Amino acid sequence: MQTVSRTLAPTHPLDLPATEIAAGIRARHFSAEAVVVESLRRAKVVNQTLNAFTLLREEAAIASARAADERVATGGDTPALLGVPFAAKDLTPTKGDLTTLGSWTRGNWIPTETALCIERLEAAGAILIGKTTTPEFAHSSFTSSPRWGVTRNPWNPERTSGGSSGGSAVAVATGVVPFAEGTDMGGSVRIPAALSGVVGLKPSLGRIPMTILPSVFDNISHFGPLARTVSDAVAFMAAAAGPDDADIASLPLSFAADRARAGSLAGRRFALSLDLGYYSVDASVQAAILAAVEQLRAAGATVEPVDIGWSRAVNDQWYDLWCVFMAAFFGDAIDGYRERMDPIVVELIERGLCMNATVYKRVELLRTAMWRDLAMILARYDALLCPTCAVTAPSADADDNDYIADTPDGRFRGLDMTCPFNLLPQCPALSVPVGLANDGLPVGLQMVGRRYADEDVLSLGGAIESVLQASGLAVGRAERWRW
């Protein structure tokens, strides 16, 4: 395991935390236009190598930045994220912008409305600079689509950025933006966060209204931030979270940013499972997790191994749900576009169309048993810790089907350890980078908290981040992207 550090002196105001960027703009220490122009410049350079953006909103973003500077100059309203650049996933509609879902099946769709999550960020003063790549219909742990090609890892372009919010992860990891919007149905925020070395949060179900699916009754889908730091994720949540009748499942809870600030680890209790009972986890990933755990213990936390006792059935039955999700929401595409679609998407849809309804309903029995297991752990501990992914970033040429085998000793050779917690969607799950493995690639520590306790999980995540920074284990920006 390699020791690294995130504590670099900012070389540009864009390298500051999101709230400090906004504060500097309000105080006229620098302009929103200068920040946004630099963000766009970086995005163009990054895109040449890593392919993270489907489009850049250059004219619109600069116009918004100039309007922000005018608000400051004239004494107008200056919201919390004034002038902060951010990016949004190509899955998420934004008014006036080509939105393809990584697919040829959507033609050249230009939405006439913006998703509520993005509207809220913009209302808080943030400026959307571009749309980021996603695999077709956000189906994969690898960001590669028939329409936009392969998105590559900022630490090693031969490796994947992770998926499905891979472009957003790259935009954050390379310093283009302090945070970006992602979606998470099986780990699509946390997987690229871990593999690309940034923070990623799957909030509790309903904390951010999910308004971009045909159904508001789906219960595995979440908006969430990918962010340079936990504090940047808090800034995203403070703007985006909160109820709205557009999503019947949205919770009547406001987000309490003061409760989400980094706290102390002294006296906190964590359960630790390196394998969730059934994964084959690379030795270098385990070493990075255990090194981080030792720093938590040194900071006064209790970390105790637990046997959660789950099995590969968790992944297999999440996959059943995922196939039905794809078939229900995107299944009409295969009649006219089969040859232009990702073959794995077609496979998912066809399997979902054949799923027995009783078998589908019985997945709830597994989810119930999983919750009872986790609830017993969370009654005794503040959170459960485990790796976010069982491996570091695979080859950019690999795909999900390369990570479905069992090892000779009967363990599951999976990539992510995230989809189990989409089956328990009321529990927030945060991925924090905890160092580099021996191959020089980032490792993420996943923390799963009590139901709806997003602020507590973020507070603990911030505390962990601070301890790891002090110890030299925090993951900084990849060398090439230290602007």
Side-chain angles (χ1 to χ4, degrees), residues 20 24 53 107 115 131 171 173 196 205 226 276 359 459:
E20 292 184 27
F53 289 90
K131 302 295 288 290
S196 296
L205 186 72
L226 296 104
L276 298 181
V359 170
S459 178

Side-chain angles (χ1 to χ4, degrees), residues 44-52 150 152 157 480-481:
K44 292 174 186 176
V45 174
V46 167
N47 220 36
Q48 292 173 5
T49 304
L50 304 182
N51 187 34
V150 175
R152 300 182 179 276
R480 174 172 182 162
W481 307 107

Side-chain angles (χ1 to χ4, degrees), residues 220-355:
I220 64 171
S221 301
H222 312 250
F223 285 117
L226 296 104
R228 283 198 295 235
T229 64
V230 174
S231 69
D232 287 331
V234 171
F236 181 106
M237 290 295 294
D244 193 282
D245 283 346
D247 178 7
I248 193 172
S250 66
L251 299 172
L253 294 176
S254 58
F255 183 80
D258 58 331
R259 283 180 41 221
R261 294 194 186 98
S264 170
L265 292 181
R268 306 313 292 260
R269 293 175 52 80
F270 297 99
L272 172 67
S273 175
L274 287 174
D275 62 3
L276 298 181
Y278 63 101
Y279 273 91
S280 172
V281 181
D282 279 2
S284 62
V285 171
Q286 293 192 49
I289 297 296
L290 290 173
V293 163
E294 286 309 305
Q295 294 302 319
L296 305 193
R297 288 174 173 150
T302 297
V303 185
E304 296 178 340
V306 297
D307 181 8
I308 198 167
W310 293 347
S311 73
R312 180 178 169 163
V314 171
N315 292 67
D316 292 341
Q317 293 191 35
W318 172 85
Y319 183 71
D320 289 344
L321 296 188
W322 192 227
C323 289
V324 173
F325 179 105
M326 282 286 154
F329 296 155
F330 304 113
D332 58 352
I334 60 175
D335 289 341
Y337 289 92
R338 177 187 295 265
E339 300 305 317
R340 301 190 78 184
M341 293 173 65
D342 188 315
I344 294 179
V345 172
V346 174
E347 178 184 327
L348 289 168
I349 288 172
E350 290 184 332
R351 188 171 184 276
L353 290 171
C354 297
M355 181 66 63

Side-chain angles (χ1 to χ4, degrees), residues 32 50 71 104 174 200 220 224 246 250 256 262 297 300 317 413 447 472 475:
L50 304 182
R71 290 168 77 172
W104 291 110
T174 56
I220 64 171
S250 66
R297 288 174 173 150
Q317 293 191 35
R413 185 61 176 169
M447 176 168 48
V475 174

Side-chain angles (χ1 to χ4, degrees), residues 99-180:
T99 302
T100 72
L101 289 68
S103 179
W104 291 110
T105 68
R106 291 311 185 254
N108 294 319
W109 179 43
I110 307 292
T112 58
E113 295 182 354
T114 294
L116 177 63
C117 176
I118 307 304
E119 280 188 339
R120 286 179 168 179
L121 291 166
E122 292 182 319
I127 295 174
L128 180 63
I129 63 108
K131 302 295 288 290
T132 58
T133 50
T134 177
E136 189 165 34
F137 306 140
H139 80 279
S140 177
S141 301
F142 296 76
T143 296
S144 176
S145 75
R147 185 146 186 176
W148 301 104
V150 175
T151 298
R152 300 182 179 276
N153 193 291
W155 295 83
N156 181 346
E158 298 303 312
R159 304 296 186 97
T160 181
S161 62
S164 65
S165 305
S168 287
V170 171
V172 173
T174 56
V176 174
V177 291
F179 58 64

Side-chain angles (χ1 to χ4, degrees), residues 59-112:
E59 290 185 11
I62 291 174
S64 294
R66 289 172 177 165
D69 290 331
E70 181 65 19
R71 290 168 77 172
V72 173
T74 59
D77 178 45
T78 55
L81 297 177
L82 184 72
V84 176
F86 77 102
K89 191 174 179 178
D90 183 37
L91 188 76
T92 303
T94 54
K95 182 178 179 180
D97 299 322
L98 176 68
T99 302
T100 72
L101 289 68
S103 179
W104 291 110
T105 68
R106 291 311 185 254
N108 294 319
W109 179 43
I110 307 292
T112 58

Side-chain angles (χ1 to χ4, degrees), residues 19-32 69 72-73 78 82:
T19 55
E20 292 184 27
I21 294 173
I25 291 168
R26 285 194 295 269
R28 305 181 76 171
H29 294 155
F30 43 82
S31 69
D69 290 331
V72 173
T78 55
L82 184 72

Side-chain angles (χ1 to χ4, degrees), residues 11 57 61 113 136 177 197 210 219 265 277 290 363 372 377 430:
T11 59
R57 305 175 74 250
E113 295 182 354
E136 189 165 34
V177 291
M210 173 52 69
N219 69 1
L265 292 181
L290 290 173
V363 176
R372 289 172 177 160
I377 291 171
L430 176 72

